[in-house]
PDB file of all heavy atoms in Angstrom:
ATOM      1  N   GLU A 904    -114.993  15.977 100.007  1.00 77.00           N
ATOM      2  CA  GLU A 904    -115.633  14.699 100.312  1.00 77.00           C
ATOM      3  C   GLU A 904    -117.094  14.713  99.882  1.00 77.00           C
ATOM      4  O   GLU A 904    -117.600  13.748  99.296  1.00 77.00           O
ATOM      5  CB  GLU A 904    -115.535  14.411 101.812  1.00 77.00           C
ATOM      6  CG  GLU A 904    -116.178  13.088 102.197  1.00 77.00           C
ATOM      7  CD  GLU A 904    -116.345  12.918 103.695  1.00 77.00           C
ATOM      8  OE1 GLU A 904    -116.209  13.912 104.435  1.00 77.00           O
ATOM      9  OE2 GLU A 904    -116.649  11.796 104.123  1.00 77.00           O
ATOM     10  N   PHE A 929    -118.763  34.990  92.209  1.00 65.00           N
ATOM     11  CA  PHE A 929    -118.298  35.126  90.828  1.00 65.00           C
ATOM     12  C   PHE A 929    -118.024  36.589  90.481  1.00 65.00           C
ATOM     13  O   PHE A 929    -118.046  36.966  89.315  1.00 65.00           O
ATOM     14  CB  PHE A 929    -119.301  34.558  89.819  1.00 65.00           C
ATOM     15  CG  PHE A 929    -119.709  33.135  90.096  1.00 65.00           C
ATOM     16  CD1 PHE A 929    -121.019  32.811  90.362  1.00 65.00           C
ATOM     17  CD2 PHE A 929    -118.766  32.126  90.090  1.00 65.00           C
ATOM     18  CE1 PHE A 929    -121.393  31.504  90.616  1.00 65.00           C
ATOM     19  CE2 PHE A 929    -119.137  30.820  90.344  1.00 65.00           C
ATOM     20  CZ  PHE A 929    -120.443  30.513  90.611  1.00 65.00           C
ATOM     21  N   ALA A 935    -131.005  40.727  94.458  1.00 43.00           N
ATOM     22  CA  ALA A 935    -131.945  40.417  95.524  1.00 43.00           C
ATOM     23  C   ALA A 935    -131.618  41.209  96.769  1.00 43.00           C
ATOM     24  O   ALA A 935    -130.477  41.620  96.994  1.00 43.00           O
ATOM     25  CB  ALA A 935    -131.897  38.915  95.835  1.00 43.00           C
ATOM     26  N   PHE A 942    -126.126  34.621 113.229  1.00 33.00           N
ATOM     27  CA  PHE A 942    -125.183  34.146 114.230  1.00 33.00           C
ATOM     28  C   PHE A 942    -124.215  33.126 113.646  1.00 33.00           C
ATOM     29  O   PHE A 942    -123.011  33.175 113.874  1.00 33.00           O
ATOM     30  CB  PHE A 942    -125.950  33.519 115.396  1.00 33.00           C
ATOM     31  CG  PHE A 942    -125.073  32.872 116.430  1.00 33.00           C
ATOM     32  CD1 PHE A 942    -124.330  33.647 117.295  1.00 33.00           C
ATOM     33  CD2 PHE A 942    -124.978  31.494 116.507  1.00 33.00           C
ATOM     34  CE1 PHE A 942    -123.514  33.051 118.253  1.00 33.00           C
ATOM     35  CE2 PHE A 942    -124.172  30.898 117.460  1.00 33.00           C
ATOM     36  CZ  PHE A 942    -123.449  31.667 118.318  1.00 33.00           C
ATOM     37  N   GLY A 967    -118.402  19.833  87.479  1.00 80.00           N
ATOM     38  CA  GLY A 967    -119.596  19.671  86.658  1.00 80.00           C
ATOM     39  C   GLY A 967    -120.907  19.875  87.374  1.00 80.00           C
ATOM     40  O   GLY A 967    -121.966  19.520  86.855  1.00 80.00           O
ATOM     41  N   ALA A 974    -128.993  35.506  98.045  1.00 87.00           N
ATOM     42  CA  ALA A 974    -128.524  36.557  98.952  1.00 87.00           C
ATOM     43  C   ALA A 974    -129.041  36.390 100.370  1.00 87.00           C
ATOM     44  O   ALA A 974    -128.524  37.015 101.294  1.00 87.00           O
ATOM     45  CB  ALA A 974    -128.929  37.928  98.411  1.00 87.00           C
ATOM     46  N   HIS A 978    -134.576  34.380  99.719  1.00 91.00           N
ATOM     47  CA  HIS A 978    -134.153  34.208  98.327  1.00 91.00           C
ATOM     48  C   HIS A 978    -133.908  32.734  98.025  1.00 91.00           C
ATOM     49  O   HIS A 978    -134.289  32.232  96.960  1.00 91.00           O
ATOM     50  CB  HIS A 978    -132.888  35.029  98.075  1.00 91.00           C
ATOM     51  CG  HIS A 978    -132.504  35.119  96.628  1.00 91.00           C
ATOM     52  ND1 HIS A 978    -131.272  35.577  96.222  1.00 91.00           N
ATOM     53  CD2 HIS A 978    -133.170  34.813  95.485  1.00 91.00           C
ATOM     54  CE1 HIS A 978    -131.195  35.548  94.907  1.00 91.00           C
ATOM     55  NE2 HIS A 978    -132.343  35.081  94.429  1.00 91.00           N
ATOM     56  N   LEU A 983    -135.660  27.497  95.535  1.00 89.00           N
ATOM     57  CA  LEU A 983    -136.038  26.098  95.704  1.00 89.00           C
ATOM     58  C   LEU A 983    -137.455  25.847  95.215  1.00 89.00           C
ATOM     59  O   LEU A 983    -137.747  24.794  94.624  1.00 89.00           O
ATOM     60  CB  LEU A 983    -135.892  25.693  97.173  1.00 89.00           C
ATOM     61  CG  LEU A 983    -134.452  25.648  97.706  1.00 89.00           C
ATOM     62  CD1 LEU A 983    -134.445  25.423  99.215  1.00 89.00           C
ATOM     63  CD2 LEU A 983    -133.656  24.549  97.005  1.00 89.00           C
ATOM     64  N   ARG A 992    -142.918  19.853  86.423  1.00 76.00           N
ATOM     65  CA  ARG A 992    -143.400  19.939  85.038  1.00 76.00           C
ATOM     66  C   ARG A 992    -142.658  18.988  84.109  1.00 76.00           C
ATOM     67  O   ARG A 992    -143.148  18.648  83.041  1.00 76.00           O
ATOM     68  CB  ARG A 992    -143.224  21.370  84.507  1.00 76.00           C
ATOM     69  CG  ARG A 992    -144.170  22.383  85.128  1.00 76.00           C
ATOM     70  CD  ARG A 992    -144.145  23.693  84.339  1.00 76.00           C
ATOM     71  NE  ARG A 992    -142.810  24.287  84.295  1.00 76.00           N
ATOM     72  CZ  ARG A 992    -142.361  25.176  85.194  1.00 76.00           C
ATOM     73  NH1 ARG A 992    -143.156  25.563  86.192  1.00 76.00           N
ATOM     74  NH2 ARG A 992    -141.147  25.672  85.091  1.00 76.00           N
ATOM     75  N   ASP A 996    -138.792  11.591  81.922  1.00 54.00           N
ATOM     76  CA  ASP A 996    -137.690  10.670  81.623  1.00 54.00           C
ATOM     77  C   ASP A 996    -136.818  10.376  82.835  1.00 54.00           C
ATOM     78  O   ASP A 996    -135.716   9.858  82.707  1.00 54.00           O
ATOM     79  CB  ASP A 996    -136.815  11.238  80.492  1.00 54.00           C
ATOM     80  CG  ASP A 996    -136.165  12.565  80.881  1.00 54.00           C
ATOM     81  OD1 ASP A 996    -136.615  13.161  81.871  1.00 54.00           O
ATOM     82  OD2 ASP A 996    -135.210  12.976  80.184  1.00 54.00           O
ATOM     83  N   ASP A1004    -130.627   2.408  98.333  1.00 67.00           N
ATOM     84  CA  ASP A1004    -129.481   2.430  97.427  1.00 67.00           C
ATOM     85  C   ASP A1004    -128.824   3.800  97.429  1.00 67.00           C
ATOM     86  O   ASP A1004    -127.592   3.927  97.488  1.00 67.00           O
ATOM     87  CB  ASP A1004    -129.933   2.062  96.012  1.00 67.00           C
ATOM     88  CG  ASP A1004    -128.768   1.884  95.050  1.00 67.00           C
ATOM     89  OD1 ASP A1004    -127.635   1.663  95.524  1.00 67.00           O
ATOM     90  OD2 ASP A1004    -128.984   1.980  93.831  1.00 67.00           O
ATOM     91  N   ARG A1026    -103.624  19.982 100.178  1.00 82.00           N
ATOM     92  CA  ARG A1026    -104.237  21.290 100.369  1.00 82.00           C
ATOM     93  C   ARG A1026    -103.554  22.095 101.472  1.00 82.00           C
ATOM     94  O   ARG A1026    -103.724  23.303 101.568  1.00 82.00           O
ATOM     95  CB  ARG A1026    -105.727  21.144 100.699  1.00 82.00           C
ATOM     96  CG  ARG A1026    -106.597  20.716  99.530  1.00 82.00           C
ATOM     97  CD  ARG A1026    -106.479  21.645  98.341  1.00 82.00           C
ATOM     98  NE  ARG A1026    -106.921  22.995  98.615  1.00 82.00           N
ATOM     99  CZ  ARG A1026    -108.155  23.431  98.441  1.00 82.00           C
ATOM    100  NH1 ARG A1026    -109.080  22.614  97.996  1.00 82.00           N
ATOM    101  NH2 ARG A1026    -108.475  24.679  98.708  1.00 82.00           N
ATOM    102  N   THR A1036    -104.372  20.463  93.341  1.00 85.00           N
ATOM    103  CA  THR A1036    -104.593  19.260  94.144  1.00 85.00           C
ATOM    104  C   THR A1036    -105.248  18.176  93.318  1.00 85.00           C
ATOM    105  O   THR A1036    -104.823  17.017  93.330  1.00 85.00           O
ATOM    106  CB  THR A1036    -105.468  19.592  95.369  1.00 85.00           C
ATOM    107  OG1 THR A1036    -104.784  20.522  96.200  1.00 85.00           O
ATOM    108  CG2 THR A1036    -105.774  18.335  96.165  1.00 85.00           C
ATOM    109  N   PRO A1046     -99.702   9.221  98.300  1.00 88.00           N
ATOM    110  CA  PRO A1046     -98.485   9.938  98.707  1.00 88.00           C
ATOM    111  C   PRO A1046     -97.220   9.182  98.314  1.00 88.00           C
ATOM    112  O   PRO A1046     -96.218   9.792  97.922  1.00 88.00           O
ATOM    113  CB  PRO A1046     -98.625  10.036 100.232  1.00 88.00           C
ATOM    114  CG  PRO A1046    -100.096   9.938 100.493  1.00 88.00           C
ATOM    115  CD  PRO A1046    -100.620   9.004  99.441  1.00 88.00           C
ATOM    116  N   ALA A1051     -92.342   8.949  95.006  1.00 91.00           N
ATOM    117  CA  ALA A1051     -91.487   8.252  94.046  1.00 91.00           C
ATOM    118  C   ALA A1051     -91.278   9.102  92.793  1.00 91.00           C
ATOM    119  O   ALA A1051     -90.168   9.177  92.254  1.00 91.00           O
ATOM    120  CB  ALA A1051     -92.109   6.902  93.676  1.00 91.00           C
ATOM    121  N   ASP A1058     -88.315  18.560  87.737  1.00 91.00           N
ATOM    122  CA  ASP A1058     -89.451  19.474  87.794  1.00 91.00           C
ATOM    123  C   ASP A1058     -90.095  19.630  86.421  1.00 91.00           C
ATOM    124  O   ASP A1058     -91.325  19.648  86.291  1.00 91.00           O
ATOM    125  CB  ASP A1058     -89.011  20.847  88.309  1.00 91.00           C
ATOM    126  CG  ASP A1058     -88.766  20.850  89.804  1.00 91.00           C
ATOM    127  OD1 ASP A1058     -89.008  19.814  90.449  1.00 91.00           O
ATOM    128  OD2 ASP A1058     -88.326  21.902  90.329  1.00 91.00           O
ATOM    129  N   LEU A1077     -93.855  22.634  93.480  1.00 90.00           N
ATOM    130  CA  LEU A1077     -93.144  21.357  93.472  1.00 90.00           C
ATOM    131  C   LEU A1077     -91.970  21.366  94.447  1.00 90.00           C
ATOM    132  O   LEU A1077     -91.670  20.343  95.078  1.00 90.00           O
ATOM    133  CB  LEU A1077     -92.645  21.038  92.061  1.00 90.00           C
ATOM    134  CG  LEU A1077     -93.705  20.590  91.046  1.00 90.00           C
ATOM    135  CD1 LEU A1077     -93.048  20.318  89.697  1.00 90.00           C
ATOM    136  CD2 LEU A1077     -94.441  19.350  91.537  1.00 90.00           C
ATOM    137  N   LEU A1083     -91.282  18.514 101.622  1.00 85.00           N
ATOM    138  CA  LEU A1083     -92.165  17.795 102.524  1.00 85.00           C
ATOM    139  C   LEU A1083     -92.072  16.284 102.344  1.00 85.00           C
ATOM    140  O   LEU A1083     -92.057  15.534 103.333  1.00 85.00           O
ATOM    141  CB  LEU A1083     -93.611  18.239 102.296  1.00 85.00           C
ATOM    142  CG  LEU A1083     -93.984  19.639 102.767  1.00 85.00           C
ATOM    143  CD1 LEU A1083     -95.360  20.041 102.278  1.00 85.00           C
ATOM    144  CD2 LEU A1083     -93.934  19.711 104.289  1.00 85.00           C
TER     145      LEU A1083
END
Side-chain angles (χ1 to χ4, degrees):
E904 180 192 14
F929 306 119
F942 174 73
H978 190 193
L983 292 172
R992 289 192 301 269
D996 62 345
D1004 188 20
R1026 288 304 297 270
T1036 297
D1058 285 356
L1077 286 180
L1083 289 170

